[in-house]
């Protein structure tokens, strides 16, 4: 009798007391609402220098311990790093975030992101509910192909 068990990114199959282990990586689908690579690439190209990236990750490990892993790979925006990005932290408790500066028009092309896309989608929905009309969820550093398109902005 065959049985299989999943261990992280590996599959282990048991057959008559023998185990076969595969190093084939199991690809996880992006989180709901995350833009496709094609959609994101076109969005960034069309936006040109008007693009603003909204990073909703939190540097406070006591509030968002999971963000520490993605912050090690991709730092929060600062004056020298990621010049077209803002850090507007998504607050799980209030289910909200600060709005972009009033100097940004409501049709400014915005890409929201967190580490992998969950809070990025909440931020997108929130911004759209506040009248922003040109917003995509770019997932975050965990989605490496998408991150390559806009991560340095």
């Amino acid at each position: 009798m065959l049985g299989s068990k999943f261990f992280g990114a590996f599959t282990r199959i048991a057959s008559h007391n023998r185990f076969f282990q595969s190093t084939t990586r199991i690809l996880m689908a992006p989180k709901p609402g995350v833009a496709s690579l094609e959609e994101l690439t076109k969005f960034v190209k069309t936006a040109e220098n008007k693009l603003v990236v909204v990073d909703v990750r939190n540097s406070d490990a006591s509030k968002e311990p999971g963000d520490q892993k993605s912050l090690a790979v991709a730092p929060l925006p600062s004056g020298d790093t990621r010049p077209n990005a803002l850090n507007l932290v998504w607050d799980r408790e209030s289910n909200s975030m600060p709005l972009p500066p009033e100097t940004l028009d409501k049709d400014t092309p915005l890409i929201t992101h967190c580490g992998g896309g969950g809070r990025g989608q909440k931020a997108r929905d929130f911004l759209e509910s506040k009248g922003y009309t040109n917003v995509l969820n770019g997932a975050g550093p965990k989605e490496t192909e998408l991150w390559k398109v806009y991560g340095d902005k």
Side-chain angles (χ1 to χ4, degrees):
M1 182 159 141
L2 291 176
S4 69
K5 294 184 179 185
F6 291 95
F7 293 102
F10 299 96
T11 304
R12 187 173 177 182
I13 301 173
S15 172
H16 305 288
N17 295 329
R18 292 186 183 171
F19 290 92
F20 304 93
Q21 192 158 325
S22 169
T23 57
T24 302
R25 187 177 170 141
I26 299 168
L27 297 175
M28 303 295 287
K31 293 188 177 179
V34 170
S36 70
L37 179 59
E38 182 181 332
E39 183 181 20
L40 191 65
T41 302
K42 182 179 177 184
F43 188 80
V44 170
K45 186 177 180 179
T46 302
E48 297 176 331
N49 64 346
K50 296 175 187 164
L51 178 68
V52 176
V53 177
V54 179
D55 185 336
V56 301
R57 295 176 297 163
N58 193 330
S59 62
D60 184 346
S62 68
K63 295 208 181 235
E64 289 291 347
D67 281 348
Q68 300 312 301
K69 189 185 254 185
S70 70
L71 288 170
V73 175
L76 291 173
S78 68
D80 298 334
T81 307
R82 304 177 57 210
N84 293 354
L86 302 170
N87 182 222
L88 304 174
V89 176
W90 178 260
D91 184 344
R92 290 182 193 267
E93 291 176 16
S94 67
N95 215 25
S96 68
M97 60 186 274
L99 292 174
E102 290 182 16
T103 55
L104 286 183
D105 293 330
K106 298 274 183 158
D107 65 347
T108 298
L110 302 173
I111 295 175
T112 60
H113 82 84
C114 54
R119 283 170 292 147
Q121 184 59 37
K122 291 175 190 268
R124 177 186 177 184
D125 293 342
F126 180 80
L127 290 169
E128 287 177 342
S129 77
K130 300 298 182 189
Y132 290 86
T133 60
N134 201 7
V135 188
L136 277 186
N137 176 4
K142 290 179 187 175
E143 297 292 337
T144 55
E145 283 190 9
L146 298 178
W147 186 250
K148 287 177 190 175
V149 175
Y150 72 93
D152 62 345
K153 308 279 185 235

